[in-house]
Amino acid sequence: MSASQWTAEFRQQLALGGISVEPIAVAAGFSERAELWQIDSQQWQAFAELAMQQHLRWSAGWAEQFGEQFFVNALFEKQGDFILLRSLVNPLKPELPSQATVYPAANRSERHTQDMFGIKFIGHPDHRPWTRHKAWDKHEYPLRKDFPASGNPQGVTPPDLDYQFIKSHGAGTYEIPVGPVHAGIIEPGHFRFQAVGELILNLEERLGYVHKGIEKIAEGRTPESLARLAGRVSGDTTVGHAWAACMAMEQAAGIAVPPRAALIRGILAERERVANHLGDIGAICNDVAFVFGQMQFTRLRENWLRTNALVFGHRLLMDCVVPGGVKADLSEASGHLIKQDIVQLRKELTDVITALDLNTSLEDRLYTAGFLADEIAAGYGTVGYVGRASGQNFDVRRDAAYSPYDRVTMRVALENQGDIASRFWVRHKEIKAALRLIEQFIDLLAPGDLIADWQMPAPGSEGLGIVEGWRGETVAYLRFEADNKISRYYPRDPSILNWPALEKLVLNNIVPDFPVCNKSVNGSYSGNDL
Amino acid sequence: MLRIFNKIFATGIVTESVKPPKDDELEQLGIAIKRHIDSKFAGSIAIREVDAGSCNGCELEIHALNNPYYDIERFGIHFVASPRHADVLLVTGPVSRHMQTALLRTYEATPNPKWVIAVGDCAACGGEFGVSYASCGAVSNVIPVDAVIAGCPPTPLALMKGLLGLIGH
Ligand code: SF4
């Protein structure tokens, strides 16, 4: 079934159910992969119910103040086509029925919108704040336009002691609070375990500790400055977030990225994927005390990052993706160097992976542990390698291909056991696929521009960037105001969808296996907290 | 098992020698070195790393210090799990307001004499995030800072030289 077919049919079904949506024309690039539909706020939840029946996936949710009004947005996907649903809420009584009752994936996102805008989601199953701790008052809403970016902070922000964690009852159960400062070199967050003996009965995540006000401080930025900020939403995904943000800005401005620049972006993104997967595989080995694997993979990662520094001038590739194109070119010599590197990495991977595969101490810890059932992964809209290790066959690069991925055919790595081993092997397959992609992109390089001339976007123009970052589907929404300035930026890191899956996959595992379960998911705290 | 040993022997030792930085290099690294630190820590330091609001970029490079190329433990520098075991706090990020109390408590839990190193541009001056309703900006806005290692993020080599400079190797 082609794209327009299912969306047209879906609209008919909605109409039969008494739900009317009104398609709105938006910037040309925007509508290529997404349709924008407006709906009455009263029907917000009813839409979600029908969308669920038709197997649409809930992907992202955010709000925006536009003049005196509020827009609430939710992004849905099916077969690689996106519907951006929008509703206007009454600024005097900003509320609408919750979609979290239908889609659990919308739960924390709606709480974030409630904290940041003061928009109430009626019937929401969880009334606790999410992003707000104590840095601002309950009745202040940082993303409203009349809230100053500086806020009204106290001398010292007190800890959030009011948060109502779930309590355990019954003989022999006890609680373990962990964090926000953890034992390792890792981002801060709080985990509350309820356990009996060593068995985890329940895990509750409390995040928001690294909330830095990214959405607010994006306001008023120029395109270049926004790209820099986007590259720091989550330091390990600097290419992914910068690319999504630049894609959105380019749509709003109506400019096309030159083919050479798109290929170099593809090379950068795949290099980021390989670097992170090498690091994660090493870290998974470390968490089960298999030092050989950790040392080998951190060594391979270091080699890879050194080539990044040599070729692109930055080990983590920060600020390489810029609005309209890329900052640095790839010389023929560099292309050659990268290819040689790849040959070497393939050989070493074969050596090391063969050694790991036959190792029982790894097998004992990784197989069957941290099991995430396909239905739960689907229910939470889990994306990226976590989703693909539990049978979720979706990858933006293939299913909603963007340049340069539309020029190659790629196989999406899949596993279906849903355990830590599956997430380990999906990463391994993705490294191999990424290496092939890099080679293909280098072969496709033809002389050409690295950057398109920037056109100042009309005030009010908006863009939606969707890319497959190394963690999975990465979304950026933004709108321009006058003078080339950003009025709204919302980045949706894949971690926002994957964190809830961790709460489920640790159940019935033992507390000492939590670190390796967590590492197998490796959610971003910074990308979640914004 | 044989495959593992084969790979270990084939890999050999990749650890690289790092020359201790000269004075002018230290200045370049932005480190205000205090001469008496040598006697205080006697050539070995225990570090507690605290992410106080970073984007995680700095953490990735701090992690790299433990890879076989840098192998920082050979200099007697090691990362510990508790601030109570630490001589030095390595703090990254602009300090988010939600982490302010946690950072203050970590600082208080670290025994004297203690040193604080602000790692990365965010920790040094607020970086891309600055001061806002959600961010206190530089680490020195929250706790006293003894040294700064700049960069976004600083490379492992810059981190290594900064730390070696601090213990006066
Ligand atoms: S200095 Fe750079 S890498 Fe480090 S936390 Fe700040 S933005 Fe991230």
Side-chain angles (χ1 to χ4, degrees), chain A residues 183-256:
Chain A
I185 302 168
I186 182 176
E187 298 180 83
H190 184 92
F191 299 112
R192 185 70 60 101
F193 296 94
Q194 273 100 33
V196 71
E198 290 206 307
L199 208 66
I200 301 171
L201 295 180
N202 188 52
L203 163 66
E204 208 181 339
E205 297 158 358
R206 173 77 175 122
L207 303 179
Y209 287 91
V210 287
H211 174 70
K212 301 185 268 294
I214 288 176
E215 292 166 274
K216 186 74 178 182
I217 61 172
E219 293 174 7
R221 288 194 178 223
T222 62
E224 294 74 27
S225 160
L226 185 81
R228 269 203 311 280
L229 181 65
R232 286 157 181 80
V233 166
S234 175
D236 49 30
T237 316
T238 181
V239 176
H241 278 291
W243 192 348
C246 286
M247 186 186 273
M249 289 193 278
E250 286 145 11
Q251 283 168 13
I255 63 169

Side-chain angles (χ1 to χ4, degrees), chain A residues 116 131 133 135-136 142 147 149-151 153 155-159 182-188 208-214 216-217 221 228-229 232 234-236 290 292 295-296 298-299 301-303 306 314-316 318 348 351-352 354 358-359 526, chain B residues 1 3-5 7-8 11 14 16 48-64 66-70 79-82 94 96-106 128-136 152-153 155-156:
Chain A
M116 305 304 287
T131 307
H133 293 195
W136 64 94
F147 182 95
S150 58
V156 175
T157 303
H182 300 294
I185 302 168
I186 182 176
E187 298 180 83
Y209 287 91
V210 287
H211 174 70
K212 301 185 268 294
I214 288 176
K216 186 74 178 182
I217 61 172
R221 288 194 178 223
R228 269 203 311 280
L229 181 65
R232 286 157 181 80
S234 175
D236 49 30
F290 191 63
F292 166 78
M295 284 299 157
Q296 290 293 341
T298 53
R299 181 178 63 84
R301 175 180 155 92
E302 178 68 20
N303 290 344
R306 289 180 176 200
H314 195 284
R315 286 164 53 93
L316 304 181
M318 274 179 173
E348 295 225 34
D351 289 354
V352 181
T354 321
L358 298 168
N359 195 285
S526 184
Chain B
M1 212 52 196
R3 284 174 203 273
I4 294 182
F5 287 128
K7 186 66 192 168
I8 291 171
T11 307
V14 298
E16 295 169 332
R48 172 64 252 199
E49 199 270 350
V50 185
D51 175 342
S54 134
C55 79
N56 196 33
C58 283
E59 276 61 35
L60 293 176
E61 294 296 53
I62 294 171
H63 258 291
N66 287 319
N67 81 33
Y69 282 98
Y70 304 106
F79 290 89
V80 293
S82 166
S96 70
R97 297 206 184 267
H98 290 169
M99 276 301 286
Q100 194 178 7
T101 299
L103 177 61
L104 283 165
R105 287 184 182 173
T106 307
E128 201 59 42
F129 305 100
V131 176
S132 74
Y133 77 93
S135 162
C136 306
C152 181
T155 62

Side-chain angles (χ1 to χ4, degrees), chain A residues 351-398:
Chain A
D351 289 354
V352 181
I353 284 287
T354 321
L356 295 188
D357 201 12
L358 298 168
N359 195 285
T360 45
S361 58
L362 211 52
E363 225 168 74
D364 282 353
R365 297 289 300 278
L366 304 188
Y367 286 89
T368 70
F371 172 67
L372 180 68
D374 289 13
E375 314 82 70
I376 296 179
Y380 280 91
T382 314
V383 291
Y385 51 78
V386 184
R388 289 192 286 270
S390 291
Q392 304 307 301
N393 191 353
F394 175 72
D395 189 312
V396 188
R397 293 174 295 172
R398 178 196 62 196

Side-chain angles (χ1 to χ4, degrees), chain A residues 468-509:
Chain A
E468 185 75 18
W470 78 273
R471 274 197 184 87
E473 178 198 56
T474 306
V475 178
Y477 169 83
L478 54 84
R479 186 191 294 278
F480 278 94
E481 58 192 20
D483 301 326
N484 219 20
K485 296 267 171 63
I486 298 293
S487 71
R488 176 78 175 111
Y489 168 57
Y490 175 70
R492 204 279 280 125
D493 192 87
S495 309
I496 291 177
L497 296 175
N498 289 355
W499 272 116
L502 178 66
E503 289 185 341
K504 300 296 163 205
L505 65 85
V506 296
L507 298 181
N508 296 319
N509 284 261

Side-chain angles (χ1 to χ4, degrees), chain B residues 124-154:
Chain B
C125 68
E128 201 59 42
F129 305 100
V131 176
S132 74
Y133 77 93
S135 162
C136 306
V139 174
S140 60
N141 293 345
V142 179
I143 53 174
V145 168
D146 300 288
V148 165
I149 304 176
C152 181

Side-chain angles (χ1 to χ4, degrees), chain B residues 34-53:
Chain B
K34 303 219 170 39
R35 280 295 162 206
H36 59 268
I37 190 163
D38 232 354
S39 56
K40 290 217 166 121
F41 295 128
S44 159
I45 50 172
I47 297 177
R48 172 64 252 199
E49 199 270 350
V50 185
D51 175 342

